Structure formats: C-alpha cells, structure tokens
Amino acid sequence: MTVESVNPVTPGAREPSEPPVAGGGVPLLGHGWKLARDPLAFMARLRDDGDVVRLRLGPKTVYAVTAPDLTGALALSPDYIISGPLWESLESLLGKEGVATANGPLHRRQRRTIQPAFRLDAIPGYGPIMEEEAHALVERWTKGEVLDVTAEAFRVSVRISARCLMRGSYMDARSERITSALATLFAGMYQRMVVPLGPLYRVPVPANRAFNRALADLHRLVDEIVADRRASGQKPNDLLTALLEAKDENGEPIGEQEIHDQVVAILTPGSETAGSVVMSLLHVLTEHPDQVDKIREEVKGVVGDRPVAFADVRKLQHTANVVVETMRLYPAVWILTRRAVTDTELGGYRIPAGADIVYSPYAVQRDPRSYERHTEFDPDRWLPGRSPKLPKYAMTPFGVGNRKCPSDHFSMAELTLITAVVANAFRFEPAPGSDNRTHIGITLRPRRLLLRAIPR
Ligand code: HEM
C-alpha cells in the first residue's frame, strides 16, 4: 500500500466498495457497548473482519483501519486531518492554538518552530538533566518505602520534559507544581473527552473542584513561566525561546495565546505518554526479573562501577530493546483518530468526506499476522536481522507522517537511561494492593502499580 492508493477516486478507476460492517453489533447500540466494555480486545478482534471495517456507535458510523500498511497510508495522506469530538474536548481543556490539534499551514509552521528542540543533535544537550533526574529516582527509592509508581512515573516524566524544554533554575519548584496539576488532570481528562457532560463537570463536587483547580493552576503556571523567562532577559537554546521568538506567516511574532497553548499542548500529552511508558517499564521489570539481570549485565559491561551516564545510552542496545518491546505490547497511545476531509479511498474501500476513522497501535502491534509469539515479551526480537519480515507500519508507537511524535529521540533517550539506571540499582517486587491490570484512558498504563524497590 502506498500513499497513492488513498488518493481521491479517479475517473475510470475501479469503483471502491463500502467496507464491511464489523461483526458483533447489537440493535440501537451497535458496537458501542463492546467498545466501551473492553476496548483493547474489541479493537484487536476487528482485523478478522477486514482491513477496513465500519463500526456503528449508536447512530454514528465510524471507520476502523486494522491492517498495518493502511494505518501508515492513513497517517501519511493529506486527505485526513486531526478533528472530531475527542479533539474538540481536548481543545476546550488545553487550548485551541497548540500543535497537537492544529491542521494545515498553522500546523506546519508550528512544527517548524518546535522541531529543532527535539532534533537528534539537540538531545545530548538534555543529557545532564536526564541523568540528574534518573539518578534522583534511585536516591528517592532507596528509602525502602512502597513506591506509588503512578505518581513516581508522572513526576519524573513531567520534570524531565519541563526542565529540558523550558530551562531555568526556577523550574525546579515549578516542576513540582506542574507535576501535581498534571497528575490530577490526567485522572479526569479522559472521562471528559469520552463522556462530554459539559456543565455537569462544573457541579462543585470534590472531584470536579480538584480537576478545575488543577487546570487553572496549570494555565497560571505556564503564564508565570513565560513571564519569568521574559523578565530574565535570558534566551537559552530551548523550546521556550523558540516559541517566544517564533514568527507567524506574516513575519510577526506569534500571539500570547499561541505561546501559552503551545507550552500546554506539548507538556501535557508529552508527560502523560512518557509517564505511562515508565509505568509499563516498571511493570515489565517486575514481571521479568531475568530482564533486570540482563540489563544490569549490559550496564556493568559498558560502565563498570561508575554511575550510568547519558553518553552510555547509545551503547545499551539490550536496554533500548526492552524499552521498544515494552512500547510494542503496551503502547501509551493505544488509539488514534483522524477525519476525512474529502471523499476518498483506503485499501479499495470508500471513505466519505467527514468520516471519523480510528486505528489502534495496540491492536496492530499485537497482531499475530505480523508478530510470531505476538503476546510474548521478547526484547531480542528487535536484534538486528531478527525481524526481517515485519510489515511496514506494524510498529509505530510514536505514530507516522506529519503528526508523528516530535519527541521520539528525546523519549527513547529518556526511557533507556531511566531503565538502565533503575534496573542497575534495584530489582522490583509487587507490594500488597498493587493492581497491574491495564488502565485505559487517554493513554494505556498499569492501573495502580505499588512496588518495592529492593537494592541489589
Ligand atoms: C504526538 C506518542 C512522548 C510531544 C504523538 C503521537 C504519538 C505520540 C503516537 C502521534 C499522534 C497522532 O498521530 O495523532 C508518544 C509516546 C511518547 C511520547 C509513546 C513517550 C514514550 C512525548 C513527549 C513530548 C511529546 C515527551 C514532549 C515533551 C508530542 C506532541 C505531539 C505528539 C507535541 C503532537 C505532534 C503533532 O500533532 O504534530 N506522540 N509521545 N510526546 N507528541 Fe508524543
């Protein structure tokens, strides 16, 4: 499948057909109840019904793309944009002018502004902060208390993103406040996206009050950070400087609202995704103590007895493979959506203008048609030459195309370093009350992991 195959229908070409309706729908509700009850299993089973299938969600028809090549074609085609009710509710919480929800020329300009901060050659500049934060985990965890992994993982991912992308010593205290605001927001955002009850979320019950307070605090914090940076007169080489210096299509400085929304739009989803992967990694290290030993062996071979440094990361191939295999089985972004902007075609199936389309990296990355022993955790499948037949786009935890995560190199460096540092220092055991079942929200992660870190 190529990008060409999703172009609008051309005269004389074979007429595209209607995609089949997925099995298992019931009158009135269609597939909605199955999707709501067990979304991961539901999305994974759709491939048996076709490469593209139609879902009935109440009165609405939604298209699901299940074949890896077609998910790539979808993400690469200009016929589909980011839009739809889920994105609209995200905008109403986080702001309308951020890169994650913009389309067209605005999106292209915003990507050009932020991209340099995430380029491969910019990543070593973040090394000292990533090192400091990874080693700080070891110091915090040596006290032998039960670790609330959800809190710890969000904390480290927020701190790394905030401190690297918006440098300044003032960030230390602020990143604690950002962490606390975002932790509350992550808990309530998904519900507000999938069950948009509007005014009901303003009813002053404790959960709504906490959510609204955290949202207001996040927006206030971002304003403070921007104001402080301006007042300092400093222009370190970071994302915030890039945003403050950015020009619009007319060569004018971008507006205050856009700067604000950009910071929120980058920090919020970025921290939730990276934090979720840290949680899944700790789950995997607990379930697979042999992997902890293998990582430790690799680390010792590379660094000996000195602390793991950022510069070591590129030599830690097995550790990186553990991170990749974790993201295969537990992709933080488990579902993605697009909207067709024109009548078009995908894999020989007709997609009408305005159609909402979903696909699931979780389903694609666990598909037995692409992966042998598809549910088995095996980091060695990523050894060079071991996955020669993997279909294109069968492994896309960071997405593809013009919306691909800008932070793929940044996140891989961060996650590999954290994994190396903590596996070198501890083995992990579940503590009483730990619940490692999957939590499905905006991201996918363990529900409530409580662990003991046992020093080696
Ligand atoms: C977009 C995954 C970390 C910032 C995305 C998308 C995915 C993704 C799948 C594409 C969404 C789509 O196609 O619709 C991940 C994963 C991460 C991670 C798995 C960690 C392991 C981060 C971090 C940041 C970040 C740390 C920033 C601090 C963004 C932004 C976008 C994005 C700004 C929107 C890009 C656009 O629409 O042009 N991410 N992400 N991500 N990610 Fe990440």
Side-chain angles (χ1 to χ4, degrees), residues 82 87 99-100 107 111 114 118 161 165 265-266 270 273-274 277 327 332-333 336 338 397-399 402-407 410-411 415:
I82 295 271
W87 294 103
V99 64
H107 176 252
R111 282 293 293 229
I114 67 170
F118 293 102
S161 296
L165 300 172
I266 294 166
T273 41
V277 179
M327 288 195 291
V333 179
L336 285 164
R338 292 290 187 271
F398 292 105
N402 65 341
R403 318 297 309 212
K404 183 178 177 190
C405 183
S407 170
F410 181 100
S411 299
L415 295 166

Side-chain angles (χ1 to χ4, degrees), residues 131 135 138 299-300 302-312 316 417 420-421 424:
E131 257 175 55
H135 289 289
V138 176
V299 169
K300 287 276 170 263
V302 171
V303 312
D305 287 326
R306 68 168 167 78
V308 189
F310 178 84
D312 301 319
L316 299 174
L417 180 65
V421 168
N424 193 37

Side-chain angles (χ1 to χ4, degrees), residues 70 94 104 131 163 222 251 259 278 372 384 391 397 421 428 437 439 441:
L70 294 182
L94 300 183
E131 257 175 55
R163 291 188 62 206
V222 170
I259 295 171
V278 172
E372 282 174 16
V421 168
F428 296 94
R437 283 174 299 168
H439 165 92

